[in-house]
Amino acid sequence: MPKRDSTVRGREFGAGVREALRKAGLTGRGACEILGWDPAKLSDMLNGKGGVTEGDVQRLLGLCRTPLDEADHLVALFHETTRSGWLQIHGERQPILPRTLGEHEAVATEIICWSMNLVPGPLQLPDYFRALIASNPNTPQEEADDRVAGRVARQQQLIKRRCGMTFYIHEQALRLPVGSTEVMSDQLHHLITMGARSYVTYRILRTSTGAHAGLAGSFTLMKFDKLEPVVFIDAENHAVFLDDKSSAKAYMKILSSLDEAALDAEQSKELIERITS
């Protein structure tokens, strides 16, 4: 059978099935023994290589007693595991816990972020994030605590893994007041603290640079050990995941151009310190 390229949908499907097995207290081999499957069949299912039917997926999820909503989600993904790219429309607002993004952050070997207007999400302090939530008319304020907790959990996961992170940040993002003067001061000091970590790199693009390659908007590019890079674009009520080689190449060209235009790492730290003082 020809090897299929891994997709964002396929990886979420595989991760969901693995989690269903874990919650059921089953190993892959144990599930196969109960279902009378060759272990290779489950392996093919988890890795998106085909060889299974919707009925097989439903039998496995039934064995795991997977909740109906999650089972429906995984069955729907099963039929789309080979589709490249994923536009996720959330409705009125973003989910409190962005599942697909979190699952990819959890296994990324390197994260490269371009942020044009705000301090990047992985670096935002709770009070800075709360101020952003308060300014958004689409986000119920009663969700603030849960949203902050979810953001902090994702940040801690990245810190624990010591994932390499490079942040290309426009100078205006550092100067845009978000929240009170104290909130903004704390946020900038946090950037300095985080910048001391060996796996965090800042590259600041000065306002005086003028027009630049990143004007189309902010994005995140995630790299993986054995998978093609994924580009993530966040918006008000939807998210876009691009996992095809052409998109990755296009966004890498943007990062390459930003790399040439931005201050180097030491100059970037010095600029943050000057703005903070």
Side-chain angles (χ1 to χ4, degrees):
M1 179 178 295
K3 182 180 179 181
R4 294 178 179 174
D5 289 335
S6 176
T7 68
V8 170
R9 286 180 174 90
R11 291 194 288 276
E12 180 160 317
F13 171 75
V17 173
R18 290 186 182 92
E19 180 64 8
L21 288 166
R22 186 193 69 80
K23 288 182 176 179
L26 290 168
T27 63
R29 183 171 295 277
C32 288
E33 290 177 355
I34 295 172
L35 295 171
W37 290 0
D38 185 306
K41 180 172 182 173
L42 179 58
S43 178
D44 286 346
M45 177 190 291
L46 296 176
N47 292 296
K49 293 183 178 180
V52 294
T53 66
E54 178 182 325
D56 291 328
V57 176
Q58 291 178 334
R59 285 185 65 199
L60 177 60
L61 297 178
L63 174 66
C64 295
R65 296 186 178 181
T66 303
L68 184 58
D69 287 349
E70 175 67 1
D72 287 344
H73 172 70
L74 293 175
V75 170
L77 280 180
F78 168 72
H79 291 291
E80 299 185 337
T81 54
T82 61
R83 288 186 59 189
S84 180
W86 196 356
L87 168 62
Q88 296 182 340
I89 300 176
H90 304 314
E92 292 185 2
R93 55 188 175 273
Q94 296 179 346
I96 293 176
L97 297 175
R99 173 174 178 164
T100 308
L101 177 60
E103 288 179 349
H104 281 74
E105 286 178 338
V107 296
T109 55
E110 183 180 3
I111 294 176
I112 307 173
C113 177
W114 158 239
S115 187
M116 195 160 59
N117 299 311
L118 299 170
V119 170
L123 300 169
Q124 292 175 4
L125 284 174
D127 285 345
Y128 183 97
F129 188 38
R130 284 182 185 278
L132 293 177
I133 293 172
S135 70
N136 190 329
N138 290 320
T139 305
Q141 297 309 300
E142 60 267 24
E143 293 181 358
D145 288 345
D146 289 340
R147 289 182 179 274
V148 169
R151 174 67 61 83
V152 170
R154 284 171 47 214
Q155 292 172 340
Q156 291 301 314
Q157 177 177 257
L158 292 173
I159 292 173
K160 183 178 180 179
R161 294 181 56 238
R162 299 177 66 84
C163 176
M165 294 181 285
T166 300
F167 299 97
Y168 290 89
I169 308 172
H170 198 283
E171 182 181 354
Q172 67 189 13
L174 304 177
R175 297 188 182 276
L176 177 69
V178 174
S180 66
T181 302
E182 290 75 18
V183 167
M184 199 64 203
S185 177
D186 288 346
Q187 179 62 73
L188 292 175
H189 278 93
H190 180 64
L191 291 183
I192 296 172
T193 300
M194 289 295 295
R197 298 173 186 262
S198 61
Y199 53 90
V200 174
T201 300
Y202 300 138
R203 301 293 306 281
I204 307 302
L205 192 71
R206 297 300 304 266
T207 301
S208 58
T209 301
H212 53 82
L215 285 172
S218 304
F219 64 89
T220 298
L221 186 142
M222 293 175 279
K223 295 183 178 181
F224 307 91
D225 186 22
K226 297 180 180 180
L227 304 169
E228 294 294 329
V230 170
V231 176
F232 170 69
I233 303 170
D234 202 12
E236 179 61 31
N237 71 334
H238 65 277
V240 179
F241 291 87
L242 303 172
D243 52 15
D244 60 288
K245 294 179 181 179
S246 296
S247 292
K249 183 178 180 180
Y251 280 89
M252 284 181 178
K253 284 183 178 180
I254 293 175
L255 290 173
S256 179
S257 181
L258 291 173
D259 186 73
E260 293 179 3
L263 299 176
D264 65 28
E266 286 305 314
Q267 292 171 332
S268 296
K269 288 182 180 180
E270 291 172 2
L271 177 59
I272 296 172
E273 290 173 354
R274 289 202 300 272
I275 295 174
T276 303
S277 62

